[in-house]
Every structure is written in structure tokens, then in C-alpha cells.
Amino acid sequence: FLKYAKKGLYDNSIFHRSIPGFVLQGGGFSVPPVPADDELIELPKRIPSFKPIKNQPGNSNLRGTVAMAKVGGDPDSATNQWFINLEDNLPLDDNNGGFTAFGKVLGEGMEVVDQLASADVFPAGGPFGLFDQLPLWELSEGADGSAKIMPDDFLTVISAQELEDKNHPFVLGVESSDDSLVKATITKKQKIKLKTSSDTSGTAEITVEAISLIDGTVDVDS
């Protein structure tokens, strides 16, 4: 996923498959470069793909998780396509070798995803029915009355970027219940550093607090 993002292949990509209450899928196609012709609906272009990767299931496909899409009957066929789980899709944990969930929508981001998933779905066809569940903001009408898809009608990912360590969207805080046993600090690179005492024994509880820079939500774990 990061390799595609770093090379800009997900920039101006689209969500090409939407099943309300199930998944919203993208990563495989980009927006057509020009408006569709009045006589023909121009379909999205394929995004180049690298070789398939080995399946790595284990994380559950819960609402808000991001997972790799793959070919039916082939667990090790994931390339560029991925999907967001709109609900707790527990059957996907075992189906086709289990679907690899590798990320999660942060903060209140699912409000945006739910808005995307509310777009109307159209049976646009395409080879092997690739776009039979194509979400569009609208479907315009051409001069002759035929359907006409415009670039702005697609649900588009403008850009996909990997944040540097120093730009992670959260701030960490850490506290030790007993500094004489374990001293806990946060480095400038937002790493947790623990220093234990060499001449004292006992038990200390370490509490970590993460504050989202996206929406201000707080997560605490000990």
C-alpha cells in the first residue's frame, strides 16, 4: 500500500465499488482524463500494479478497518486494490484465506467514509462487470439524452501520502506510577523511552495517552 502511495499511483484514484453496509473499495482505477463522450461512457483507467503479495490475515475486519482486496479463490493475489469495512464484517476473517486488514480510519474519519458510501450506485458495466457497483455523486445526461459521466461525478482520492514520523497525527504522553523503578519519557520523535532502576526492584504501571491532532480525541492505555 505504501509503495503505491509513495509513487503517487493512488493520487486521483477512485472508489469503484460500493456495497452499502458492507465495503467501499478503491485503489484499482483512476479518473478518466477527459469528460465522457455523449455517445459513450468512458470508464476509469486501470492503475499499474506490482506483483501480488502474500496474504497476512490476523486482524479482524471490523468497521473502519482497511483491508486488501484480492481475487476469489486466491488468498495471495492482493495487489493495488483495498477496501474500507463499513460494518463489522467478521466472515471476511476466514473467507478466501482471510482478508488482510492492515489499517484503520482515524478519529471521526468514518463520518467522511459514510458520506462517500451514501452516494448512489450505478451498474456501469465494464469488462467482467468491474463497474456494476460504481458509486457516483451524480449521473449527468448528454445532449442526446444518454447517460454521461463527468470526472467530478466519481468519488475521488485527490492524494494519498505517507506522513513522516515527526508528522504523525497524534501527540503522545506517558507516565510511570513509580519513577524510582521506571522513568518514562517521550522523545522528540514521539517515541516512548523507558529507563529502569538498576538497584531497586518492584512493579510500576506505565500509562500512555495519545491525543489526536485530527479531532482531539484521547486514547489511554496502561
Side-chain angles (χ1 to χ4, degrees):
F1 183 90
L2 290 177
K3 186 176 180 180
Y4 287 100
K6 289 176 181 178
K7 290 184 175 294
L9 296 176
Y10 286 147
D11 295 353
N12 294 315
S13 63
I14 67 164
F15 289 100
H16 67 277
R17 179 174 179 245
S18 178
I19 304 178
F22 184 43
V23 299
L24 183 65
Q25 185 170 330
F29 303 89
S30 60
V31 178
V34 295
D37 186 272
D38 281 339
E39 301 298 328
L40 179 67
I41 295 178
E42 184 173 347
L43 295 176
K45 306 298 183 183
R46 284 187 179 274
I47 291 174
S49 62
F50 306 120
K51 65 179 182 180
I53 60 174
K54 183 177 178 59
N55 196 34
Q56 300 178 51
N59 296 320
S60 191
N61 284 263
L62 302 176
R63 172 175 162 82
T65 55
V66 185
M68 296 305 298
K70 52 189 176 178
V71 177
D74 187 353
D76 302 322
S77 58
T79 55
N80 54 9
Q81 293 191 33
W82 48 273
F83 60 86
I84 302 173
N85 285 294
L86 301 176
E87 299 294 344
D88 291 347
N89 294 321
L90 300 185
L92 295 183
D93 294 348
D94 300 311
N95 184 269
N96 196 7
F99 282 79
T100 299
F102 65 93
K104 183 180 181 181
V105 178
L106 297 177
E108 298 178 356
M110 281 305 292
E111 293 183 5
V112 177
V113 175
D114 288 337
Q115 182 180 12
L116 292 168
S118 72
D120 291 332
V121 178
F122 297 88
F128 308 105
L130 283 174
F131 305 112
D132 280 347
Q133 297 162 314
L134 179 67
L136 297 171
W137 293 124
E138 64 179 356
L139 186 60
S140 305
E141 187 175 289
D144 61 354
S146 61
K148 179 178 181 180
I149 300 178
M150 301 294 286
D152 289 345
D153 296 339
F154 293 100
L155 279 59
T156 306
V157 176
I158 301 301
S159 67
Q161 303 175 34
E162 179 188 13
L163 295 178
E164 300 293 337
D165 286 347
K166 63 181 180 180
N167 292 327
H168 279 325
F170 56 81
V171 174
L172 288 178
V174 66
E175 184 179 81
S176 171
S177 63
D178 190 340
D179 285 340
S180 66
L181 290 173
V182 182
K183 187 174 182 180
T185 57
I186 301 295
T187 69
K188 291 182 179 180
K189 293 186 177 181
Q190 288 290 287
K191 303 291 186 181
I192 299 173
K193 183 178 180 180
L194 301 178
K195 184 177 181 180
T196 59
S197 172
S198 59
D199 55 5
T200 307
S201 62
T203 302
E205 183 177 70
I206 308 301
T207 302
V208 180
E209 179 184 74
I211 303 176
S212 171
L213 297 178
I214 298 175
D215 58 11
T217 54
V218 178
D219 192 14
V220 180
D221 198 4
S222 298

